[in-house]
Amino acid sequence: MIVGNYLAAAALFCLGLHTVLTRRNLVRMVMGLSLMESSTYLLMISFAYRAGSTAPVLLDPPHGKKPEQLAHGNVADPVLQNFCLTAIVIGVAVTAVFLSVVVRVAQHYRTLDADRVRAMRG
């Protein structure tokens, strides 16, 4: 299952990279960058996975278990999950900034074609 996640993350990254490198539309380029971000989220969550693990925080321990016993048990790594949540929030903000720049470029140059924007340098 984990190898499938790694392959899916690699495929998602390659799809985003292909979109960024081959598309001339600025909105599609931003979408490709977003796909590349999503692949890193999948990769980080895959690194945090442990087979047969439990949640790192339990409100009530399972019947017959003490909290001290759970601390030494097989739990998922919460640090990478927290990093992933933080990265998602930052990624949404960065995507919003990219899209606002695209809107301003479209208003100024009246096009979303990256080649035409490059050709209009003075």
Side-chain angles (χ1 to χ4, degrees), residues 57-94:
V57 177
L58 297 174
L59 296 176
D60 296 321
H63 183 66
K65 299 255 182 174
K66 295 181 183 177
E68 296 83 21
Q69 294 172 331
L70 294 175
H72 301 324
N74 188 13
V75 295
D77 187 10
V79 175
L80 288 173
Q81 294 173 4
N82 291 331
F83 283 160
C84 188
L85 286 174
T86 305
I88 289 171
V89 171
I90 293 170
V92 167
V94 168

Side-chain angles (χ1 to χ4, degrees), residues 28-59:
R28 289 185 181 179
M29 292 172 80
V30 171
M31 289 172 56
L33 289 171
S34 183
L35 279 175
M36 292 168 68
E37 278 181 45
S38 298
S39 71
T40 59
Y41 306 151
L42 178 60
L43 190 65
M44 286 194 316
I45 291 297
S46 298
F47 285 153
Y49 175 77
R50 291 185 186 167
S53 64
T54 61
V57 177
L58 297 174
L59 296 176

